[in-house]
Amino acid sequence: MRLDTLTALNAERAARRPALVVTDPSDGRQRLVRGTEIDADPLASVLREKLASGRSGLIADADARPLFVAVHAPPVRLVAVGAVHITQALAPMAGQLGLDLTVIDPRTAFATPERFPNVRLVAEWPDAALETLGLDAYTALLALTHDPKIDDPALIAALKAECAYVGALGSRKTHARRVERLRQAGFDEEDIARIHAPIGLDIGAVSPAEIALAILAQVVATLRRARIAARAGA
Amino acid sequence: MLSTEDDILRAAEAWRREGRIVALATVIETWGSAPRPVGSHLLIDEGGRFLGSVSGGCVEGEVITEALDVIGDGRPRTLEFGVADETAWRAGLSCGGRIRVFVERVD
């Protein structure tokens, strides 16, 4: 690999932008294909499938020669809005699942390092915090405060950024009112249907830890199923 | 989840910028119960120092030996390792899988 290719690849990865490296194993010839360059690539359709599946592997070029495609999709981030009890239970589980967690809550009494040891905490309003963080299609967002002033801006940002997963805590009644507010904010049914609410798989969860488990199970199922579907279509 | 690979590629860039001559080994194909997934990396420098893993330890020694040749002549190579057989004391996968590893120099 040329050092300039490696440097450019690492820059894409650091910026959380997807990229692929196509290598001919017979002679080592190689090219970097950034996410934005896929459409213009001669192997566009197969590269799109590889990126969607998230799996590196061999493909065949037009002459049936094997090429290796290394897929560099950004690691999935988990953003929890609400430094609440459920989030405290969720933090260590997210770590074990390899999900990179950030917790946002403007209420400084909630967002304390004592309540969240070793967790990235942002004690700001979601509007400001998410702007800095930069939501993307490789982010899962959880709205957990029960407070529309805090949850709504986060959900709006997540829908606009086409986050991989969007979930919101609250009863069906709470959600119905939320849906009404989102409609007024200009979102259509298809957008709103992307919000998992009430959040989490229905496992009859009661305690904060059980609710955290139900939420993470739904996040994992959503991420994995999207990739399985992409692979099946490949 | 979904991408927990240690950051071997950043290390590769850093090692190269320090002036070390480095080779990058990548698992490009697996069959059966291979220990490390496709895309896993092993980074090797001219002194045989290494980082990462392509097989969880089974064939790293052989890959490093080949990588030193790649560092020497700059010619990329594809290596294949299979089920432990009579040469298994040198390089074999006890898990019964097979892997193909591409080794290239970072220039």
Side-chain angles (χ1 to χ4, degrees), chain A residues 186-200:
Chain A
F187 290 95
D188 62 23
E189 296 309 309
E190 202 181 325
D191 295 325
I192 292 167
R194 286 176 30 228
I195 301 174
H196 291 84
I199 197 169

Side-chain angles (χ1 to χ4, degrees), chain A residues 36-173:
Chain A
T36 50
E37 297 166 346
I38 293 176
D39 288 341
D41 195 274
L43 297 168
S45 69
V46 63
L47 293 185
R48 255 193 304 271
E49 282 163 12
K50 292 304 288 176
L51 179 60
S53 76
R55 282 164 51 119
S56 302
L58 291 169
I59 60 161
D61 71 1
D63 306 319
R65 283 153 50 88
L67 295 175
F68 177 67
V69 178
V71 177
H72 297 279
V76 174
R77 276 186 316 192
L78 188 60
V79 176
V81 174
V84 297
H85 206 169
I86 293 168
T87 316
Q88 286 180 279
L90 181 135
M93 295 185 202
Q96 288 189 318
L97 290 167
L99 293 166
D100 178 19
L101 175 68
T102 301
V103 177
I104 297 171
D105 200 319
R107 302 168 298 181
T108 47
F110 285 80
T112 66
E114 290 74 31
R115 284 163 52 80
F116 290 93
N118 307 315
V119 173
R120 194 177 314 115
L121 277 175
V122 184
E124 287 175 24
W125 286 88
D127 317 52
L130 295 176
E131 179 75 38
T132 313
L133 207 61
L135 295 179
D136 56 34
Y138 299 92
T139 304
L141 183 124
L142 319 173
L144 303 175
T145 69
H146 276 125
D147 182 343
K149 285 198 305 297
I150 305 173
D151 282 353
D152 281 10
L155 291 169
I156 288 169
L159 289 177
K160 283 187 178 157
E162 304 199 340
C163 283
Y165 173 94
V166 186
L169 193 69
S171 66
R172 284 174 207 287
K173 231 159 94 186

Side-chain angles (χ1 to χ4, degrees), chain B residues 22-68:
Chain B
V22 301
L24 185 67
T26 306
V27 178
I28 61 168
E29 200 170 11
T30 65
W31 299 264
S33 53
R36 299 278 293 139
V38 170
S40 301
H41 292 298
L42 179 69
L43 176 67
I44 307 101
D45 78 358
E46 77 276 21
R49 283 166 292 190
F50 65 95
L51 197 65
S53 170
V54 290
S55 76
C58 305
V59 300
E60 265 68 12
E62 192 79 354
V63 174
I64 291 164
T65 305
E66 293 282 345
L68 293 174

